[in-house]
């Protein structure tokens, strides 16, 4: 009897998933893939070119819809990418004592370590299970780049 009930639950779940995937397909939503942005035609010497503007539009769309994207033909050497991953791993392996010393709350402009589970986007959900190190150029607090500005909607 238990297995019969369990099979019924699985069938209901499969039917629900099939319905949702069908609905997504009918509505034309492409939420099952991450966009791939190709930089092969971009020339940094011509930022106003049609090819560059097309990529800018693709980046904006990807950032606003899925929030993620892959980039190909970026010309960043694989050795540099591997080195960045190694450095990131070493940085995040530092002791909690060191991380606390450089906590983002100690510095203007959100620079430094952000502890594991230190952010919570959804106030009703669990904290975001991530940690990170935020870096960037330090500007004075009255500098235009340091003052919060929001684009028109």
């Amino acid at each position: 009897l238990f297995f019969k009930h369990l099979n019924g639950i699985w069938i209901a779940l499969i039917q629900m998933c099939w319905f949702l995937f069908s609905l997504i397909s009918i509505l034309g939503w492409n939420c099952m893939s991450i966009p791939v942005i190709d930089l092969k035609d971009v020339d940094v010497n011509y930022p106003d070119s049609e090819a560059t503007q097309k990529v800018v539009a693709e980046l904006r769309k990807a950032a606003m819809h899925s929030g993620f994207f892959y980039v190909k033909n970026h010309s960043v050497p694989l050795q540099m990418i591997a080195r960045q991953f190694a450095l990131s791993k070493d940085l995040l392996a530092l002791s909690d004592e060191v991380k606390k010393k450089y906590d983002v709350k100690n510095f203007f402009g959100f620079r430094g370590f952000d502890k594991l589970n230190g952010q919570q986007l959804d106030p009703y959900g669990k904290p975001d299970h991530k940690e990170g190190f935020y870096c960037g150029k330090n500007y004075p607090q009255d500098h235009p780049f340091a003052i919060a500005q929001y684009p028109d909607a």
Side-chain angles (χ1 to χ4, degrees):
L1 183 63
F2 173 75
F3 290 109
K4 185 176 182 182
H5 181 69
L6 188 62
N7 282 337
I9 291 172
W10 279 111
I11 290 170
L13 284 173
I14 291 169
Q15 288 172 338
M16 188 184 320
C17 288
W18 181 259
F19 169 76
L20 290 173
F21 287 133
S22 298
L23 181 63
I24 288 167
S25 177
I26 290 167
L27 294 174
W29 296 346
N30 186 6
C31 63
M32 300 308 292
S33 64
I34 297 175
V36 178
I37 311 294
D38 192 348
L39 301 183
K40 73 175 169 39
D41 295 327
V42 173
D43 185 342
V44 295
N45 296 310
Y46 300 99
D48 294 327
S49 72
E50 186 178 332
T52 302
Q53 291 305 307
K54 179 181 176 220
V55 168
V56 168
E58 290 174 359
L59 285 168
R60 184 176 193 280
K61 181 180 176 185
M64 293 186 74
H65 289 93
S66 69
F68 298 94
F69 52 87
Y70 290 112
V71 177
K72 68 179 188 176
N73 295 313
H74 48 70
S75 74
V76 178
L78 289 177
Q79 296 83 0
M80 184 182 289
I81 295 169
R83 177 80 174 130
Q84 292 303 313
F85 274 105
L87 289 170
S88 298
K89 186 176 179 182
D90 292 346
L91 185 68
L92 294 175
L94 291 171
S95 70
D96 287 341
E97 183 180 330
V98 171
K99 291 178 183 179
K100 284 179 187 174
K101 183 178 177 183
Y102 297 100
D103 189 285
V104 294
K105 294 179 180 116
N106 298 335
F107 302 96
F108 170 75
F110 205 77
R111 304 288 193 256
F113 278 102
D114 191 27
K115 67 182 181 179
L116 185 64
N117 296 325
Q119 294 182 24
Q120 186 172 345
L121 182 62
D122 180 354
Y124 304 106
K126 294 179 180 177
D128 300 337
H129 190 69
K130 64 176 183 173
E131 70 176 322
F133 185 83
Y134 295 89
C135 56
K137 186 170 182 175
N138 291 320
Y139 292 99
Q141 292 185 16
D142 60 346
H143 191 280
F145 291 156
I147 299 170
Q149 299 175 28
Y150 302 96
D152 296 334

